[in-house]
Amino acid sequence: MQHRSGRGWTMAGTTPHEPAISGRRARAGHAEPPDDAVPIAELRDEATGCRRCPLWRNATQTVFGEGPEDAEVIFVGEQPGDQEDRAGKPFVGPAGRMFDATLEDADVDRRKIYVTNAVKHFKFEPRGKRRIHSKPNAGEVQACRWWLDKEIGRIEPRLAVALGSTAAQSLLGKAVPVLKRRGEVIERDDGLRVFITIHPSLILRIREPEDKDAERERFLNDMRKVKRLMAE
Ligand code: URA
């Protein structure tokens, strides 16, 4: 089956569950997920054996999304880092701590949001004993969109937050200049609104303290906007 080639989706593949990208229910009631939407626990189980791209070979495990199935907002990062790969949970390393602290300052309760990544295996280059993050390529992002679509199909969030360019690419099916468009909401063909912001690891990479503080403040303002959008 062909899915929305205009958004860059391609053949759905041959495994039993097609991506749940059609027939989004009306937002207003936020009632039951569509009948064909697979529960997150089942998706997580299926994804443990994912071989849709070669990244599984070197990673410790698949890091699937986490959060309530009735979350109104889904936050999407790039891919698990070193600590996430070991823990099997998204955003628990340094970027996760920056993310958590900013959410707390913006009064967004992480327990009420669903947090996931565009790519669910850690891609890295070994350097001595260290594993250095390596950006996933377009093919890897495309292959893993299978899972993100299924997560969205199950949760049916009212809002998605793209944390950085890989997430924006995956959610919108095209490259988005994140620094130019941060703070904006872009609506997808299926009606899902996607809020664009930076990846929190960008803040960690800034060395100059004043610049770091300023970027952290901008990210906090973005999270405050998300909080307001959640309330709409
Ligand atoms: N960076 C991400 O994009 N996701 C994580 O889970 C951790 C770091």
Side-chain angles (χ1 to χ4, degrees), residues 7 15 20 28 32 37 71 80-81 85 89 92 97 103-104 112 122 124 133 144-145 163 170 193 199 219 226 228 232:
R7 276 192 39 199
T15 55
E32 292 301 309
D85 172 74
K89 289 170 174 294
V92 293
R97 288 191 284 280
L103 287 181
E104 200 178 327
K112 293 195 175 147
F122 179 35
F124 61 92
H133 164 275
C144 218
R145 192 193 269 169
L163 298 166
S170 182
R193 295 178 308 156
H199 192 285
F219 187 53
V226 168
R228 286 198 293 276
E232 273 175 12

Side-chain angles (χ1 to χ4, degrees), residues 77-81 84 90-91 95 117 199:
E78 182 191 73
Q79 61 163 347
E84 288 80 10
F91 282 100
N117 283 299
H199 192 285

Side-chain angles (χ1 to χ4, degrees), residues 63-101:
V63 179
F64 210 71
E66 275 193 354
E69 293 209 2
D70 62 353
E72 301 211 325
V73 186
I74 181 171
F75 283 73
V76 183
E78 182 191 73
Q79 61 163 347
D82 180 74
Q83 292 189 27
E84 288 80 10
D85 172 74
R86 296 177 202 277
K89 289 170 174 294
F91 282 100
V92 293
R97 288 191 284 280
M98 168 63 69
F99 179 55
D100 282 351

Side-chain angles (χ1 to χ4, degrees), residues 60-168:
T60 307
Q61 59 192 314
T62 308
V63 179
F64 210 71
E66 275 193 354
E69 293 209 2
D70 62 353
E72 301 211 325
V73 186
I74 181 171
F75 283 73
V76 183
E78 182 191 73
Q79 61 163 347
D82 180 74
Q83 292 189 27
E84 288 80 10
D85 172 74
R86 296 177 202 277
K89 289 170 174 294
F91 282 100
V92 293
R97 288 191 284 280
M98 168 63 69
F99 179 55
D100 282 351
T102 314
L103 287 181
E104 200 178 327
D105 290 351
D107 201 22
V108 176
D109 187 346
R110 179 158 171 176
R111 291 167 307 180
K112 293 195 175 147
I113 61 175
Y114 187 87
V115 180
T116 193
N117 283 299
V119 170
K120 296 192 172 29
H121 282 112
F122 179 35
K123 183 177 181 183
F124 61 92
E125 296 289 338
R127 202 170 297 161
K129 285 190 182 157
R130 295 183 64 210
R131 304 189 300 170
I132 308 298
H133 164 275
S134 174
K135 197 175 164 71
N137 64 37
E140 290 151 357
V141 174
Q142 170 67 21
C144 218
R145 192 193 269 169
W146 166 269
W147 297 113
L148 183 59
D149 286 342
K150 283 174 180 266
E151 289 172 299
I152 290 172
R154 179 65 190 186
I155 293 165
E156 293 233 299
R158 296 177 58 228
L159 181 71
V161 179
L163 298 166
S165 58
T166 303

